Amino acid sequence: MDVPFVENGLIQLWRVDTCRRGNRGSGGVAGAPPHPSPSVSLVLGIGHQYGCVRALRWCPTRDVWRGIDEVDNDKYARPPLGLLAVGCSDGYVRIMCLPHPSDLVPSSPS
């Protein structure tokens, strides 16, 4: 029987803002400024010891981008970002419930 490959790994969730408000670029119009570079930032890293990730499947929650005040007036009631099914080389599929990134990092002062 084969021994499953098990090693440390990291699943990364990145935020990519490709269309920033007020700076949408030319859309192909001659003489207009070029499209801006996307803003990219790492928002969540999930360390694990399950080996190589062989498959990922994402299922977002329905109301994830609603404001906190729109969800039952409870500051801890924001729905999770979604569910992530992760199939790894240790032979198992795990279902992870990912929190909303803004619930993990304190907001920076304005």
Side-chain angles (χ1 to χ4, degrees):
M1 181 174 206
D2 291 333
V3 177
F5 176 75
V6 178
E7 195 170 298
N8 295 337
L10 180 67
I11 299 169
Q12 301 175 1
L13 181 66
W14 291 82
R15 178 184 180 127
V16 180
D17 291 328
T18 57
C19 189
R20 289 176 272 176
R21 187 177 302 185
N23 194 7
R24 295 186 180 182
S26 69
V29 177
H35 288 284
S37 298
S39 168
V40 179
S41 59
L42 178 67
V43 294
L44 182 63
I46 303 168
H48 64 84
Q49 298 177 332
Y50 311 136
C52 293
V53 173
R54 303 285 188 200
L56 293 171
R57 294 294 181 266
W58 176 246
C59 179
T61 54
R62 191 182 83 191
D63 296 326
V64 70
W65 297 114
R66 285 176 35 189
I68 289 179
D69 1 344
E70 298 175 37
V71 185
D72 301 332
N73 294 325
D74 180 0
K75 67 178 183 174
Y76 300 108
R78 184 192 305 269
L81 192 61
L83 300 175
L84 183 65
V86 183
C88 297
S89 61
D90 65 353
Y92 292 93
V93 174
R94 292 169 176 86
I95 308 295
M96 301 177 180
C97 182
L98 304 185
H100 196 282
S102 64
D103 292 340
L104 300 174
V105 180
S107 15
S108 58
S110 305

